[in-house]
Amino acid sequence: MPDSPPFADIDGPVLVNAGYAVASRPILSGLDLHLVERRIGIIGRNGSGKSTFLRLVAGLIAPTTGTVRLGSHVPASDRKAMLSRIGILFQNPDHQIIFPTVAEELAFGLRQQGMDKVASAQAVTDLLARHGRSHWEDHSVTALSQGQRHFLCLLAVLAMQPQTILLDEPFAGLDLPTQARLARELAALPQRLILITHDPKTLAGYDRVIWIEGGRVRADGHAGPIVEAFTAEMARLGGTDADTDLTN
């Protein structure tokens, strides 16, 4: 299995007037986006729809209005095709891990892609060796710390070599050294990254930032100006009783 698949010039997800509602209550509305840049950040307040946005792009949910496409594929209805195109790393690794051992967890996606048992086992061994974690292979996932389980989930995504990786607050709950190690690993990846974060500082050097507010795109553009405007607005809200309103 090659270390770095050829990700140059790969087209990204396209959303056309896409929206998502639950019981007629809109969570996302009117999204018109073509996600082509190599590093894209998603920012917004809690409850703005960021995590739902990632699930929509990944095809874990289908839009209730508009369309989401990746090339000729519809992510929500062509899950098999998405295995090599989009991977997602959730905020909580315990919501993602489903097998008792490291080797089984890493092999699962490869088997889903059609790799046989012998080949997938060798690919897992090679993957762990490349990342200096060969000693993890036969261990129970419960022997891993929170940060190690988070990294295991990232390895499981990388094993399938997706073209785009979606990350939902990947640094949440990690101590500072673990955050630094994960940031270093992510920065070195050749794939397109679409990253949700509450910390605009993690978006330094990103090509594009999308600010979602109330389920809609409030601003979209170069990282510097968008992050500056978002930070200023959050500071303004922090000076008011910004959390007093009840949601409907």
Side-chain angles (χ1 to χ4, degrees):
M1 188 166 61
D3 290 336
S4 299
F7 293 113
D9 301 322
I10 287 173
D11 200 13
V14 178
L15 295 84
V16 178
N17 195 32
Y20 182 74
V22 175
S24 299
R25 177 175 177 266
I27 308 299
L28 296 168
S29 304
L31 301 179
D32 288 297
L33 299 165
H34 191 183
L35 305 174
V36 297
E37 291 80 6
R38 185 168 175 266
R39 295 290 185 264
I40 301 172
I42 309 295
I43 54 178
R45 298 172 66 190
N46 286 341
S48 61
K50 302 186 302 300
S51 294
T52 303
F53 173 78
L54 278 200
R55 293 172 64 83
L56 194 66
V57 172
L60 300 179
I61 56 176
T64 52
T65 58
T67 61
V68 178
R69 301 191 68 87
L70 183 52
S72 62
H73 300 282
V74 176
S77 59
D78 198 350
R79 298 298 307 139
K80 189 176 179 66
M82 291 303 103
L83 293 175
S84 62
R85 290 172 171 81
I86 292 183
I88 186 167
L89 186 67
F90 294 104
Q91 182 174 334
N92 186 340
D94 297 329
H95 293 166
Q96 192 156 353
I97 294 171
I98 57 176
F99 286 94
T101 70
V102 169
E104 289 174 296
E105 184 67 26
L106 293 177
F108 175 68
L110 298 173
R111 298 298 303 275
Q112 292 290 103
Q113 287 180 307
M115 193 176 290
D116 65 35
K117 186 175 183 179
V118 173
S120 64
Q122 185 59 56
V124 166
T125 297
D126 294 344
L127 176 68
L128 288 169
R130 285 200 303 275
H131 289 274
R133 288 165 173 82
S134 295
H135 57 294
W136 284 15
E137 188 164 354
D138 297 321
H139 277 274
S140 166
V141 296
T142 60
L144 304 180
S145 69
Q146 172 84 0
Q148 289 171 331
R149 292 197 302 278
H150 208 57
F151 191 71
L152 172 62
C153 291
L154 176 61
L155 290 180
V157 171
L158 295 179
M160 294 187 286
Q161 302 188 76
Q163 298 162 352
T164 297
I165 299 176
L166 313 175
L167 304 124
D168 190 355
E169 294 285 356
F171 305 109
L174 303 181
D175 61 24
L176 291 177
T178 305
Q179 286 183 34
R181 286 193 295 271
L182 180 58
R184 192 166 60 246
E185 294 278 354
L186 294 177
L189 293 177
Q191 284 99 332
R192 175 185 294 112
L193 301 184
I194 301 177
L195 168 68
I196 284 179
T197 182
H198 278 107
D199 183 2
K201 294 192 295 295
T202 63
L203 300 177
Y206 267 51
D207 305 304
R208 176 183 180 184
V209 171
I210 300 168
W211 176 0
I212 296 178
E213 189 69 41
R216 293 181 175 274
V217 174
R218 174 161 173 173
D220 177 8
H222 293 298
I226 303 299
V227 166
E228 183 178 354
F230 174 77
T231 302
E233 176 63 4
M234 295 307 102
R236 185 190 70 79
L237 290 173
T240 67
D241 289 333
D243 61 350
T244 59
D245 291 337
L246 296 175
T247 57
N248 294 325

